[in-house]
Amino acid sequence: MREKFENTGNKDTRSGFGAGLLEAGRKNPDIVALCADLTGSLKMDAFAAEFPERFIQCGIAEANMIGTAAGLAVSGKVPYVGSFAGFVTGRVYDQVRQAVAYSDTNVKICASHAGITLGEDGATHQIMEDTGLMRMLPNLTVINPCDYNQTKAAAVAIAEHHGPVYLRFGRPSVPNFTPADQKFEIGKAIKLIEGIDVTIFATGHLVWEAITAAELLDKEGISAEVINIHTIKPLDSKAVIESVARTGAAVTAEEHLIAGGMGELISGLLARELPSPLEFVAVDDLFGQSGDPAELMKLYRLDAQNIVLAAKRAISRK
Amino acid sequence: MTNNYSLSDIASQVRRDIVRMVNMAASGHPGGSLSSTDILTVLFFAEMNHNPEAWRRDGKGSDMFFLSAGHLSPVYYSVLARSGYFPVSELATFRKQGSRLQGHPSIERGLPGVHVASGSLGQGLSVACGAAVTKRLNGEENFVYALCGDGESEEGQIWEAAMFAAHNRLDKLIAITDWNGQQIDGPTDSVMSLGDLEAKWRAFGWEVIVTDGHNLDEISAAYKKAKAGSQNGKPKMILMKTEMGKSVDFMQGTHHWHGKAPNAEQTAKALSQLKETIGDF
């Protein structure tokens, strides 16, 4: 099963973003990029070097950065705003709400270092509420790609989509396994593995863990379907319903709190349309802490092993 | 339609519009709208390069105006309608269900003249900065204007934008502060002192012009002076000294009418002090 998904080498999703931004910027001269003193961390340096006049350094002033991006968008530019996930969501929620979402400005909010895999910096920087905050806002599209290639493709695709977008990615190097030449379709879930006993809906860094979990389950004679929910909003409801109608049980896996996360969204959908056993692999009402990213993922039960356990629980509740 | 009227006649009609809109909606913000009436009348009817009939949200080829202090929507809607952005009769729908004239400016229903939503304070100056950057990137010579309140200047984001504009030498950005000295809870000096506002803006690297915000000639001169410095590398702040509730005796100079609607009797009294010139909506 694994050979279908060859890891071509670990890479960070933020570098995928940087590469995608550069590619999009070469195609579209209206793309501008804004950063608040984290250009290197966001991997925006290549864009800044190639298009210095289109790169706007905002200093450590995220509220003004969001407003400036809205002004650029209103007047016809396609601004990509980059910072850590906590600083372009919670810190500036009101600015995003009024000047971006409510004003329906074509701003691309690009958030790196999302989730607990930020690691050593600790809970101040490890936001696990951002998806929830952003998906509550009308007009906003919320995307959480799973690896370098997909993040790159998403960073290119959002330029073609007119409207505000929240693009979420991370800091650590993780397996890069999706095709380099993929076309990213906003709002279209991707079925990675077909199965009949349970569906694992995963997003972001948890997609690889879900594939690993499906392999472990397969060894125990359990057939798990794996679906990559790279676009959390709008959710591909049809794909969710279609799959759970066949498997009869679901697991959701994400590097986020249960509250406001993709899992809650899917559980709500299933509650309305197709009540089914569902188990969350997500963080339940806790802040993170300093540590090695991979170790933290185990500690907070966000790894393949915990997806396996959740799948068995979901199946047992059928 | 306003060609035959003096700026003073237009300002008087705008003030009538404000009082009537707020009365009809039984809510809204007359105080700051009346204090900034002369500022916006001169801007929209004399100094700004704009074409209301051919308005585009992206502002291409035109000066752009951003209302940062969104609660000043009554005066904003009145000057927009009176300068031809949308029918004057629509002012009667202010704050009513389904109206394009939301309590605070919104773009959702496509009201011509409004580029971005405002109301949560402190954001409009940043948005204006973004538009000014676009115009520079596009090689456009147009100006970008933003109106802020003095109370609004207690927001940290205003000073983030102040740094940004100076750092980026946005010399075609002309910001205006309606310096009426009042906010919801009382005089700014008692709520949160702004201190030497002029020195603050200068220290942030802006060209500062201080003027009487009710003297139409002085307001015009201030805009002209700001525009004359379009190549000097500095963003402009015009501090307009005004009085909240200007021209309605019982509203003037007090914070009590910041966000309160006059009843029928008070409205009649207010209108008796404001000459109908162009004609009520």
Side-chain angles (χ1 to χ4, degrees):
Chain A
M1 193 179 292
R2 173 66 65 88
E3 56 274 19
K4 261 179 83 179
F5 304 101
E6 189 200 349
N7 176 10
T8 57
N10 284 15
K11 273 180 153 179
D12 51 347
T13 49
R14 60 180 167 154
S15 287
F17 163 69
L21 170 63
L22 182 62
E23 187 178 316
R26 284 174 178 161
K27 278 191 206 164
N28 182 349
D30 281 330
I31 289 177
V32 294
L34 298 87
C35 193
D37 198 31
L38 287 169
T39 314
S41 297
L42 266 286
K43 304 294 180 189
M44 295 167 96
D45 345 41
F47 181 95
E50 190 163 323
F51 305 108
E53 74 290 353
R54 285 158 55 192
F55 176 73
I56 301 158
Q57 170 61 263
C58 293
I60 309 167
E62 293 83 4
N64 179 62
M65 177 167 70
I66 297 292
T68 300
L72 283 156
V74 161
S75 50
K77 299 295 176 190
V78 184
Y80 280 58
V81 173
S83 188
F84 289 172
F87 307 154
V88 285
T89 59
R91 186 182 180 92
V92 292
Y93 197 61
D94 187 49
Q95 284 78 12
V96 173
R97 180 176 181 273
Q98 176 170 285
V100 177
Y102 183 47
S103 293
D104 201 16
T105 48
N106 194 21
V107 175
K108 316 305 177 187
I109 300 168
C110 305
S112 185
H113 295 54
I116 202 162
T117 49
L118 169 57
E120 293 78 0
D121 278 344
T124 54
H125 288 50
Q126 291 160 331
I127 192 161
M128 293 190 282
E129 310 94 78
D130 56 318
T131 295
L133 289 171
M134 293 294 106
R135 82 165 169 85
M136 276 196 291
L137 293 172
N139 291 339
L140 256 183
T141 293
V142 178
I143 297 171
N144 189 182
C146 65
D147 68 355
Y148 173 96
N149 285 342
Q150 191 164 68
T151 308
K152 183 180 174 190
V156 173
I158 58 175
E160 312 293 325
H161 167 85
H162 191 88
V165 172
Y166 180 62
L167 179 64
R168 178 187 208 246
F169 44 91
R171 175 173 182 246
S173 287
V174 292
N176 185 30
F177 61 96
T178 64
D181 59 351
Q182 67 189 286
K183 181 163 168 51
F184 188 86
E185 285 185 74
I186 294 171
K188 189 147 177 50
I190 299 172
K191 190 186 292 180
L192 297 172
I193 298 171
E194 288 206 35
I196 56 170
D197 297 326
V198 61
T199 309
I200 304 167
F201 297 103
T203 190
H205 293 146
L206 269 291
V207 175
W208 181 256
E209 298 298 319
I211 291 169
T212 307
E215 191 179 51
L216 295 170
L217 288 163
D218 188 57
K219 285 179 186 155
E220 297 186 46
I222 297 170
S223 164
E225 182 145 304
V226 176
I227 296 184
N228 175 5
I229 305 286
H230 54 68
T231 304
I232 293 170
K233 183 185 177 183
L235 179 67
D236 190 344
S237 304
K238 206 177 142 202
V240 172
I241 298 289
E242 187 278 325
S243 176
V244 178
R246 279 186 294 100
T247 62
V251 171
T252 61
E254 62 195 312
E255 193 182 341
H256 192 273
L257 293 191
I258 291 175
M262 171 201 67
E264 243 189 22
L265 192 59
I266 289 176
S267 71
L269 172 70
L270 292 177
R272 290 191 303 274
E273 304 281 337
L274 183 69
S276 313
L278 179 145
E279 295 285 332
F280 298 111
V281 173
V283 177
D284 192 6
D285 209 26
L286 287 172
F287 285 108
Q289 59 178 293
S290 292
D292 171 74
E295 291 301 318
L296 287 171
M297 291 293 269
K298 280 183 203 148
L299 183 65
Y300 285 78
R301 299 179 183 167
L302 299 174
D303 58 353
Q305 204 55 54
N306 278 287
I307 296 174
V308 167
L309 295 173
K312 289 178 182 171
R313 286 198 303 274
I315 292 167
S316 74
R317 290 170 50 208
K318 277 195 204 180
Chain B
M1 93 192 116
T2 50
N3 292 347
N4 303 325
Y5 297 92
S6 67
L7 289 173
S8 138
D9 282 347
I10 296 170
S12 185
Q13 188 65 55
V14 168
R15 286 194 163 93
R16 286 184 68 90
D17 288 351
I18 293 165
V19 170
R20 295 182 68 239
M21 286 164 73
V22 174
N23 166 256
M24 289 163 78
S27 68
H29 298 79
S33 290
L34 292 169
S35 69
S36 54
T37 295
D38 299 313
I39 298 168
L40 291 191
T41 298
V42 174
L43 183 61
F44 275 74
F45 294 90
E47 297 297 334
M48 191 161 71
N49 174 10
H50 63 135
N51 184 353
E53 285 76 23
W55 183 80
R56 313 162 42 124
R57 191 181 175 201
D58 67 9
K60 205 148 271 180
S62 168
D63 287 354
M64 294 175 86
F65 172 78
F66 292 93
L67 178 66
S68 194
H71 59 286
L72 305 182
S73 54
V75 64
Y76 187 28
Y77 295 152
S78 173
V79 295
L80 286 176
R82 295 285 173 184
S83 54
Y85 282 88
F86 56 84
V88 171
S89 59
E90 208 168 331
L91 295 175
T93 69
F94 176 56
R95 286 182 169 245
K96 301 267 164 57
Q97 194 176 318
S99 173
R100 297 196 289 180
L101 281 61
Q102 292 287 296
H104 294 82
S106 149
I107 63 98
E108 211 172 25
R109 293 170 178 80
L111 186 68
V114 180
H115 299 285
V116 74
S118 61
S120 175
L121 294 173
Q123 301 187 26
L125 190 56
S126 301
V127 180
C129 285
V133 172
T134 293
K135 293 213 177 279
R136 172 186 290 170
L137 286 169
N138 292 348
E140 287 185 57
E141 290 298 315
N142 295 100
F143 292 98
V144 175
Y145 295 90
L147 175 62
C148 306
D150 52 354
E152 179 183 21
S153 305
E154 292 159 11
E155 292 282 6
Q157 189 179 347
I158 290 286
W159 303 100
E160 292 184 9
M163 271 188 279
F164 180 91
H167 179 82
N168 288 288
R169 303 171 62 84
L170 299 179
D171 45 19
K172 292 179 188 64
L173 173 66
I174 300 177
I176 305 144
T177 298
D178 176 21
W179 197 359
N180 62 30
Q182 305 286 336
Q183 57 193 108
I184 298 180
D185 277 359
T188 49
D189 281 346
S190 68
V191 176
M192 184 52 65
S193 302
L194 294 165
D196 190 340
L197 206 48
E198 187 181 345
K200 282 194 166 97
W201 283 101
R202 271 194 225 292
F204 273 77
W206 287 51
E207 179 181 339
V208 185
I209 300 164
V210 184
T211 197
D212 175 348
H214 295 309
N215 181 316
L216 300 172
D217 292 334
E218 285 190 24
I219 297 169
S220 288
Y223 285 129
K224 286 188 169 65
K225 188 175 176 201
K227 288 191 278 189
S230 68
Q231 313 267 345
N232 70 2
K234 287 186 170 190
K236 318 296 183 299
M237 170 53 77
I238 308 177
L239 297 173
M240 302 271 195
K241 289 192 167 165
T242 60
E243 281 199 81
M244 188 169 261
K246 175 71 177 176
S247 297
V248 175
D249 60 5
F250 61 92
M251 292 185 179
Q252 193 164 322
T254 167
H255 65 275
H256 292 112
W257 291 91
H258 166 90
K260 193 170 98 176
N263 62 26
E265 191 187 335
Q266 291 161 331
T267 299
K269 193 177 170 198
L271 294 177
S272 73
Q273 300 168 33
L274 302 167
K275 195 172 130 205
E276 184 177 353
T277 54
I278 308 170
D280 287 340
F281 61 82

